[in-house]
Amino acid sequence: MPELNFDKVFASLDLRIGEISNIDQFDEISKEFLGKSSLISEERKKLSSLSNEDKKNYGMKLTEATEFITSKINEQRQLFLNSQFSVQEEAEIADISIDWKPLRGSYKHVLSTVMEEVVSIFSSIGYEVAYGPEAETSWHNFDALNTPDWHPARYESDTLYLDKNLETLLRTQTSTVQIRHMEENDPPVYIVAPGRVFRSDQLDATHSPVFHQLEGLAIDKNLTFTDLKGTLEFFVKEFFGSDVETKFIPHFFPFTEPSAEVLVKWQNGEWLEILGCGMVDPNVLSNVSYPDTYKGFAWGVGIERLAMLRYNIDHIKNFYENDIRFLEQF
Ligand code: DAH
């Protein structure tokens, strides 16, 4: 009796399994090798025509082959499932790592921190905060501040104008806020005005075309130069420490009379200018129609300058370059 070549059947089963690309194909293979019209089923039909002995032997072989094929298909199905699962798992791990952005702590820019600190020193002695626009009129930036027509600060080489008639400009100083505030408010006045200012300057170690100032203005009935000195000395000691030495030297500003600059003695013994100040010129007060019974003092301090001195920063461009290695030191 010719028997089925089982080795050939198993070999072709291996081949078919090797070609599988999706899980449903295992059912098709199972049908192909064990279903009604499979070779094994065909052989089983022939058993009835065999002798008892052959029927028993061949029947056993067919049963063993059926079991072998069944377990082979189940085992391979499981392996296929596992491999699909780990492919999917790997893809998911990769997804997670792609979407994962490391969180950095955030913090304020050093200029904001210094500005806030300066504002809070003056708020602690009763000053309120006022703001003004960065695009200004020549009136607020120059005329009302008693700046004569011939003053070099008005030159187009120094000031960034916004129109041909030189009537509007980017403010060159926060002193503009003195005028705006007094135009809107009656005395007494105790304000500080933080903000950005603009000049037609080349960038060098200590100059930038855009930088920050804090303006201060005190107007009241009996204010004297002693009040100005006391206020600014208090500020300098709060900011730089109580043992820092200061001195006032005469200077000229159109909007103050007398005017002075405040210098701070630095570690290397050098005196460095940190702000301009003075008693508000009576012309300024009359420009905003304040009664002449009022007097006061004003000052303007450069924020970059304060930060450079305190932290020993050697070039102003460090503040604006947004290099994280610089910024995260503060
Ligand atoms: N506005 C001056 C500047 O930018 C600084 C200044 C000097 C402001 C004297 C004042 C002052 O209020 O009284 O250089």
Side-chain angles (χ1 to χ4, degrees):
M1 184 212 66
E3 285 192 1
L4 183 63
N5 184 340
F6 288 108
D7 288 339
K8 224 171 150 182
V9 173
F10 298 154
S12 82
L13 176 66
D14 283 345
L15 272 177
R16 295 284 286 112
I17 287 175
E19 291 164 1
I20 277 183
S21 61
N22 90 57
I23 192 78
D24 296 334
Q25 290 172 310
F26 283 98
D27 291 336
E28 290 164 23
I29 288 180
S30 178
K31 213 165 142 194
E32 200 178 309
F33 284 83
L34 302 171
K36 270 198 210 116
S37 41
S38 64
L39 288 175
I40 296 218
S41 297
E42 292 300 323
E43 291 303 294
R44 227 179 260 288
K45 284 177 202 157
K46 293 179 190 161
L47 287 176
S48 55
S49 61
L50 300 181
S51 70
N52 278 351
E53 185 69 23
D54 287 346
K55 194 189 284 177
K56 191 177 152 203
N57 287 339
Y58 195 43
M60 258 168 61
K61 283 189 186 162
L62 287 173
T63 304
E64 277 169 14
T66 303
E67 282 168 1
F68 178 81
I69 292 170
T70 309
S71 70
K72 180 101 183 182
I73 290 178
N74 286 342
E75 170 198 305
Q76 292 299 317
R77 191 202 310 266
Q78 196 53 49
L79 287 176
F80 186 85
L81 269 179
N82 290 350
S83 74
Q84 288 295 90
F85 197 69
S86 53
V87 166
Q88 192 184 337
E89 213 172 22
E90 226 162 79
E92 277 171 9
I93 290 167
D95 265 352
I96 289 167
S97 66
I98 284 167
D99 285 343
W100 184 261
K101 295 202 180 67
L103 279 177
R104 300 190 79 112
S106 61
Y107 36 80
K108 284 190 179 141
H109 192 281
V110 56
L111 290 177
S112 304
T113 313
V114 169
M115 183 70 98
E116 282 172 19
E117 188 181 332
V118 176
V119 167
S120 82
I121 291 171
F122 287 108
S123 330
S124 78
I125 50 172
Y127 284 81
E128 281 175 21
V129 181
Y131 297 97
E134 293 175 348
E136 261 296 4
T137 60
S138 283
W139 165 258
H140 290 98
N141 200 84
F142 293 127
D143 305 285
L145 286 163
N146 197 39
T147 311
D149 286 342
W150 49 262
H151 197 281
R154 289 187 184 253
Y155 297 169
E156 279 178 85
S157 56
D158 287 26
T159 295
L160 296 159
Y161 285 94
L162 298 173
D163 68 341
K164 282 204 295 287
N165 302 330
L166 313 187
E167 281 162 6
T168 50
L169 45 77
L170 292 175
R171 68 177 177 193
T172 62
Q173 49 191 358
T174 44
S175 308
T176 52
V177 187
Q178 294 186 27
I179 304 301
R180 287 200 171 261
H181 188 83
M182 290 191 287
E183 281 173 343
E184 298 292 324
N185 299 275
D186 290 330
V189 170
Y190 290 90
I191 55 156
V192 286
R196 257 194 315 185
V197 299
F198 306 83
R199 293 191 190 169
S200 189
D201 275 341
Q202 292 291 325
L203 185 75
D204 66 22
T206 52
H207 294 88
S208 155
V210 183
F211 61 103
H212 299 78
Q213 289 186 330
L214 178 122
E215 191 78 11
L217 176 68
I219 304 288
D220 212 331
K221 286 235 159 81
N222 298 305
L223 294 177
T224 64
F225 201 87
T226 308
D227 298 306
L228 161 64
K229 274 194 90 176
T231 304
L232 294 180
E233 270 167 4
F234 166 78
F235 158 67
V236 170
K237 287 191 190 320
E238 285 290 300
F239 188 81
F240 286 111
S242 54
D243 43 349
V244 72
E245 278 183 68
T246 55
K247 76 177 172 191
F248 287 69
I249 60 165
H251 199 78
F252 172 78
F253 295 105
F255 29 88
T256 40
E257 184 60 36
S259 305
E261 275 185 344
V262 174
L263 312 190
V264 167
K265 192 169 191 180
W266 208 236
Q267 285 130 336
N268 60 5
E270 224 181 293
W271 290 98
L272 289 163
E273 181 244 318
I274 58 157
L275 60 81
C277 61
M279 299 306 290
V280 177
D281 193 293
N283 289 343
V284 173
L285 296 176
S286 78
N287 284 340
V288 294
S289 312
Y290 266 27
D292 58 13
T293 44
Y294 281 92
K295 313 200 268 188
F297 58 87
W299 72 92
V301 53
I303 299 302
E304 278 81 350
R305 184 52 81 83
L306 291 180
M308 288 175 82
L309 285 172
R310 183 196 259 178
Y311 299 115
N312 254 317
I313 295 164
D314 60 359
H315 203 296
I316 200 167
K317 71 179 181 188
N318 286 305
F319 294 122
Y320 317 119
E321 283 181 333
N322 279 337
D323 185 333
I324 203 83
R325 291 166 303 179
F326 170 80
L327 295 175
E328 68 190 356
Q329 293 177 54
F330 305 99

